[in-house]
Amino acid sequence: MASACRAWTVVVLCVLLALPTATADLVGAVELPARRARAKMAADKRYPGAPPSAGETARPPAVVFVEGVPSEVPPPALTAPLTVEQVNRQFRPMILPVPVGATVSFPNRDDEYHNVFSRSEAKELELGRFGQGESREVTFDRPGIVRLRCEVHSGMHAVVLVLPTRWFTVCAEDGTFALKGLPAGKYRVYAFHEDARPQEKGGDPMRAWGKEVEVTAKGDTRVDFDLSGKSP
Amino acid sequence: MSIRMPFRLKLFLPLGVTLAGLLVAALAAVDSTSAERIDDLIALRARQGLRSFQELGRRRQRNLIEALDLLATAPRVRAAFLDRGSLAEAMQSALYEVGLRQTAMDLLVVADADGKVVSRYLYPAGAKQADPIGARPLPLPVPSAQHLPEQELIARVLAGDAPETLDPILVVEDRLFLAVPTAILDLDVAVGVMVLGVEITDADAAEVHGFQSENDHIAWLVGGQVRATSFSGAEERRRATEALAVALPTQREDTPRQQAVSIGPESYRALIQVLRPAGDPAGGPVHLALFISMDSLVRFRAEMRSLTMILALIALALAMAVSLLVAGQVSRPVRDLAEGTRRIAEGDYAYRIQAHSGDELGDLARSFNRMAEDIASKEKVRAVLNKVVAREVAEELLRSDLGLSGRLVTATLLFADLRGFTAFTRGMDPERVVSILNEHMTAMSAEILRERGIVDKYVGDEIIGVFGAPRSYPDDALAAVRAAVRMRTRLEEQNRERRLRGDAPLAMGIGLHTGRVVAGCMGSQDLLNFTCIGEAVNLAARLCTSAGAGEILISEATLVAAGDRVQAERREPLRLKGFDEPVAAWQVQIVADQPGTECGGGA
């Protein structure tokens, strides 16, 4: 008798498992805010003879993350090893969303020293001076915006966005994103970009731009963000 | 009272005075021009000093702005401001960067986004000089209520003004700084302000001084006290402070004005500019004093003056010499003429003037010479005339313009000739004959002339004298007789001398008659002879022929006319050729001095 119950449980479970789960994709596009003039970066005179910084030419993409997803649902796996390279006197990528507790490595791909540090509340870093081929590892244990800088090169700047959720993605160059495998439900979706002006002063800088979104079970749910501030 | 001024002096004075006057005027003009030039030079140097100061000030300001930008964009400082939001950490990071970059800094201030000063660091006065390695900036208190001097800069930069347009002068703790602000921006929102200041020291003064001329100086003052100066010695600085203490109160705030100032033995013109008035919130009063050295200028002026003086004196001497020369040149012909006329007046008819120039003066000289020649030749004629004719006749002739007309006058004629002269001179040298005759005639003529008669002519050995023409005197007859007696006496004297010499004596007979004659210049226009015509003349001649050696025969008329002073013996009336009746004659013995008085004398 017990074996039959076990067998039926297995069959039911299999049937249940075999049934397609009710998940959806969240898609959209984030319109980036106008590039804001950065304070002019004077030539690095600290290390005599050091050639000037390359300066920022590229723009970081926006990051979209969702909060409120029940934790039973397995989040997407982390795609790549978490690294922030120092290459060509820039950080690459310029924005790296990581879940809380992640460990990020910082390999130096340049043929000169870098000295990566951060004074952000979310994580104070002092990686010290290390040369080509060397790397350091840091575990980010608190959520928040961690601004990375290099003591030697004033033009080097990146953000590690430590998120309390694993439901996040980095937008493509054109601003589009797709977050797959979300269960249906009501969630809060946020878009983050450094240049985005908060709508109200004094709020959480990470969650300055957010929307309530109802993700439907079937098909794609679309949500767009206009961070330029042109439309309300 | 008239002063006789030589002609040369008359010429020289106006010339000399004019030239001297012109030179003095030129000297005065040069002197005043050089004074103007000196003023211009001072103004130029003051302008240059100010310009260098302003230029260096701007350059320092630019350097400061650059240094502050480097500080403000240093990753650590930005991280402190933007990422951490900690102004205190920003200050420490900035101080760290200053040390790392060896940035020139004396004052560093951090203020928040509202412009409220949060942190101030300042090197204590003189700390860097005392201990360049170990010196540290110390935090200054931040009074809550008081308005800080750097507040103005902070407010302006937050308002959006560019740092290079702001006045960098700052007075903190009574010290003078050059300071610039910068706003720390998070993209385009200010999150804080930093102010970087460097103290203005003697080194800055020396840098400005390097662009001025060596003896010019510069000084900055705060509250009347010298804070930085190019004066090197302690003594000079002290004196400069003292001098400025006197000069400052008289300084007006609007325009800088030159004042004469002495610092020790050197004199300067001080130009004081108010950089910051008293009571300014950024601190004051702040003055800039430029000292323009007068010594070289004064020396220059003195040299100019003495050079001009010397040149003027040389020129003056030359001018005087030239004037004298010119005056001399012009006056010489005049003086020559004056001398010439004087000599001619004195009788030197041979004097001639040298005529040099081709101008009117030369013409004058040549005319003078011609005139002198005329006079000389006239005098020659007169002298000849006098020799040839009796002087009175000559004068009469000249006076009466050589009239041919004769006059009927009563005159006494005197004829005297030598007895046996022909025989006497036979076989004699012609020269000796002339010599004897001349000697005799000279002596006899002298006696005639002495009695105011004239010698009419000499005919061989015969003398004819006339008493009463051309001029007549009351006692003509007596004079004639006296003359005859003297002639006889003279001949006797001469004969004695002849005998002593061994020569033969001469014998002379004299005849006189007084009567009416026609006297005048007889002859042609070209050749005249003053003579007398008439029977009386013949009678006198005949009487002479009848007179023996040493005898004086006079006619009755003469005797009567001569008066009773004549002592004469009566002779037989003479039968004379040409006269019908016999003529009474007397032989004169003597002529008494007084009427009726006997006088000595031989027969």
Side-chain angles (χ1 to χ4, degrees):
Chain A
M1 208 49 186
S3 58
C5 284
R6 243 184 291 150
W8 273 115
T9 312
V10 168
V11 168
V12 168
L13 276 169
C14 287
V15 168
L16 276 173
L17 281 170
L19 277 176
T21 42
T23 60
D25 293 339
L26 188 66
V27 297
V30 177
E31 176 147 350
L32 291 183
R35 186 198 276 266
R36 284 200 266 173
R38 301 208 166 263
K40 64 172 161 57
M41 298 297 171
D44 277 310
K45 290 206 184 127
R46 178 172 151 174
Y47 296 102
S53 300
E56 293 179 77
T57 45
R59 290 191 82 182
V63 164
V64 174
F65 62 98
V66 182
E67 283 192 321
V69 181
S71 49
E72 306 85 57
V73 183
L78 291 171
T79 45
L82 300 172
T83 58
V84 177
E85 297 175 310
Q86 300 107 68
V87 59
N88 248 355
R89 299 216 190 108
Q90 288 182 317
F91 288 114
R92 196 169 66 187
M94 292 171 77
I95 183 154
L96 183 69
V98 299
V100 172
T103 299
V104 180
S105 51
F106 292 85
N108 184 351
R109 306 269 185 241
D110 274 341
D111 61 354
E112 56 187 347
Y113 284 116
H114 288 288
N115 188 337
V116 180
F117 74 98
S118 173
R119 296 300 303 146
S120 299
E121 296 271 358
K123 188 71 184 177
E124 289 178 23
L125 285 177
E126 291 291 341
L127 297 187
R129 214 173 58 159
F130 53 100
Q132 187 172 40
E134 290 182 64
S135 182
R136 299 283 183 274
E137 287 193 345
V138 178
T139 305
F140 292 88
D141 41 16
R142 276 188 292 156
I145 305 168
V146 179
R147 296 189 198 271
L148 300 170
R149 296 182 190 271
C150 169
E151 192 181 72
V152 183
H153 304 100
S154 50
M156 284 178 71
H157 179 253
V159 168
V160 172
L161 201 62
V162 186
L163 294 169
T165 168
R166 295 195 44 175
W167 294 95
F168 54 78
T169 181
V170 179
C171 297
E173 260 186 51
D174 56 3
T176 57
F177 67 91
L179 204 53
K180 298 189 186 332
L182 271 172
K186 274 210 185 101
Y187 309 113
R188 194 130 175 96
V189 181
Y190 295 98
F192 173 85
H193 193 272
E194 295 173 348
D195 292 346
R197 257 184 247 274
Q199 286 159 311
E200 311 138 2
K201 273 190 91 136
D204 181 357
M206 208 162 65
R207 299 182 176 85
W209 295 80
K211 287 187 177 177
E212 289 274 341
V213 174
E214 168 117 36
V215 175
T216 55
K218 295 194 199 47
D220 297 334
T221 308
R222 188 171 180 93
V223 60
D224 294 317
F225 289 89
D226 181 3
L227 300 183
S228 65
K230 286 196 288 266
S231 43
Chain B
M1 168 191 90
S2 66
I3 304 168
R4 185 190 153 81
M5 200 188 277
F7 185 59
R8 185 158 49 169
L9 190 61
K10 273 200 195 134
L11 278 181
F12 166 74
L13 270 178
L15 210 65
V17 165
T18 308
L19 279 168
L22 282 172
L23 279 165
V24 167
L27 172 68
V30 165
D31 195 49
S32 101
T33 306
S34 82
E36 274 176 29
R37 285 287 150 267
I38 284 172
D39 285 342
D40 286 350
L41 208 65
I42 290 171
L44 181 72
R45 276 166 50 172
R47 278 201 300 277
Q48 279 175 339
L50 266 175
R51 253 207 304 277
S52 336
F53 157 71
Q54 281 160 1
E55 186 49 44
L56 284 169
R58 274 195 289 275
R59 205 191 301 170
R60 288 303 296 273
Q61 191 184 24
R62 280 197 295 275
N63 291 347
L64 266 181
I65 290 170
E66 232 180 80
L68 184 57
D69 272 346
L70 276 177
L71 271 187
T73 56
R76 293 266 169 211
V77 174
R78 280 183 72 74
F81 269 113
L82 303 179
D83 305 342
R84 195 67 178 197
S86 162
L87 297 180
E89 187 177 310
M91 171 59 91
Q92 294 306 314
S93 297
L95 287 171
Y96 173 78
E97 289 295 326
V98 162
L100 210 52
R101 291 168 197 265
Q102 303 279 293
T103 309
M105 167 234 143
D106 291 307
L107 171 74
L108 199 58
V109 175
V110 169
D112 65 13
D114 299 323
K116 186 174 176 317
V117 171
V118 161
S119 175
R120 308 163 91 205
Y121 272 76
L122 178 67
Y123 276 93
K128 273 192 192 166
Q129 284 90 325
D131 182 6
I133 296 172
R136 296 266 180 280
L138 300 177
L140 282 180
V142 180
S144 48
Q146 233 175 312
H147 178 91
L148 291 169
E150 55 265 33
Q151 218 78 58
E152 179 70 20
L153 283 171
I154 293 167
R156 296 284 293 276
V157 80
L158 280 175
D161 291 355
E164 49 269 18
T165 63
L166 303 176
D167 180 2
I169 302 283
L170 192 66
V171 177
V172 174
E173 305 285 301
D174 203 35
R175 287 154 68 185
L176 191 60
F177 295 89
L178 214 60
V180 293
T182 193
I184 313 296
L185 302 173
D186 182 8
L187 299 175
D188 46 3
V189 173
V191 297
V193 176
M194 266 179 30
V195 177
L196 174 65
V198 285
E199 194 165 7
I200 294 176
T201 61
D202 291 349
D204 298 291
E207 206 182 344
V208 176
H209 173 69
F211 287 91
Q212 297 170 292
S213 66
E214 211 181 271
N215 298 316
D216 295 349
H217 285 283
I218 192 169
W220 278 276
L221 300 100
V222 174
Q225 297 297 313
V226 171
R227 289 275 167 261
T229 179
S230 57
F231 282 108
S232 45
E235 186 58 25
E236 272 193 307
R237 296 172 68 110
R238 191 183 60 75
R239 286 206 188 117
T241 309
E242 276 173 20
L244 284 168
V246 172
L248 266 182
T250 70
Q251 181 62 35
R252 289 176 60 78
E253 302 217 334
D254 38 9
T255 42
R257 195 167 50 85
Q258 285 182 22
Q259 297 183 47
V261 153
S262 296
I263 295 179
E266 279 111 37
S267 56
Y268 296 89
R269 288 267 182 90
L271 198 76
I272 302 173
Q273 204 174 32
V274 178
L275 295 179
R276 215 17 96 56
D280 188 283
V286 180
H287 290 96
L288 173 75
L290 286 167
F291 294 87
I292 312 295
S293 166
M294 288 298 288
D295 284 349
S296 62
L297 294 172
V298 162
R299 226 191 353 261
F300 165 72
R301 184 169 180 182
E303 277 171 15
M304 274 289 293
R305 223 191 224 148
S306 60
L307 184 69
T308 318
M309 272 292 208
I310 290 169
L311 284 175
L313 282 171
I314 291 174
L316 193 69
L318 273 172
M320 289 295 145
V322 165
S323 308
L324 270 169
L325 200 70
V326 168
Q329 286 288 84
V330 170
S331 71
R332 183 149 66 90
V334 172
R335 278 182 288 121
D336 286 349
L337 273 167
E339 174 71 6
T341 49
R342 190 178 61 81
R343 294 278 278 264
I344 298 263
E346 283 172 4
D348 181 3
Y349 303 119
Y351 191 82
R352 297 287 177 272
I353 298 175
Q354 271 193 305
H356 300 285
S357 46
D359 59 7
E360 290 87 332
L361 288 169
D363 292 344
L364 189 58
R366 279 184 285 275
S367 302
F368 176 86
N369 288 340
R370 276 196 296 277
M371 184 192 73
E373 275 200 37
D374 279 349
I375 292 176
S377 59
K378 282 206 179 83
E379 275 308 306
K380 227 191 247 177
V381 166
R382 190 196 273 263
V384 166
L385 190 62
N386 278 342
K387 274 216 180 110
V388 169
V389 177
R391 202 163 68 99
E392 287 133 340
V393 175
E395 282 172 20
E396 183 65 31
L397 282 174
L398 289 167
R399 221 192 346 263
S400 66
D401 199 21
L402 297 179
L404 280 167
S405 58
R407 290 197 333 263
L408 193 65
V409 296
T410 301
T412 305
L413 282 304
L414 186 152
F415 278 76
D417 68 5
L418 293 169
R419 298 281 169 269
F421 190 68
T422 317
F424 178 85
T425 58
R426 192 177 290 133
M428 250 187 224
D429 269 332
E431 281 125 19
R432 194 163 145 71
V433 172
V434 168
S435 163
I436 292 171
L437 210 51
N438 283 350
E439 185 189 20
H440 171 72
M441 293 305 185
T442 305
M444 298 304 115
S445 306
E447 301 306 334
I448 292 173
L449 289 169
R450 197 202 288 196
E451 291 297 336
R452 293 183 296 189
I454 63 158
V455 175
D456 184 341
K457 59 172 77 68
Y458 304 106
V459 182
D461 59 354
E462 187 178 52
I463 305 172
I464 305 169
V466 178
F467 293 79
R471 272 200 224 115
S472 69
Y473 299 94
D475 61 346
D476 277 335
L478 179 62
V481 175
R482 218 175 18 234
V485 171
R486 280 201 219 280
M487 282 160 75
R488 183 168 64 186
T489 310
R490 189 84 183 86
L491 184 65
E492 282 165 15
E493 282 170 16
Q494 279 188 330
N495 282 339
R496 274 198 285 277
E497 283 165 25
R498 285 193 187 100
R499 281 196 201 97
L500 283 172
R501 280 207 301 271
D503 292 332
L506 292 173
M508 178 176 71
I510 303 173
L512 294 104
H513 174 62
T514 306
R516 301 286 280 174
V517 295
V518 172
C521 279
M522 321 278 178
S524 62
Q525 282 259 9
D526 299 325
L527 192 61
L528 292 169
N529 191 18
F530 184 82
T531 192
C532 304
I533 306 269
E535 216 180 50
V537 179
N538 296 338
L539 185 55
R542 296 279 174 256
L543 282 172
C544 175
T545 313
S546 302
E551 283 191 338
I552 301 170
L553 289 183
I554 61 174
S555 65
E556 189 168 356
T558 303
L559 184 66
V560 169
D564 53 2
R565 283 161 72 167
V566 175
Q567 291 189 12
E569 66 173 298
R570 192 180 175 130
R571 286 284 169 88
E572 288 288 325
L574 300 166
R575 289 202 85 78
L576 299 169
K577 182 173 164 198
F579 291 87
D580 295 330
E581 300 294 322
V583 176
W586 279 262
Q587 204 280 116
V588 176
Q589 286 154 333
I590 55 169
V591 175
D593 294 329
Q594 300 287 338
T597 313
E598 277 216 33
C599 61

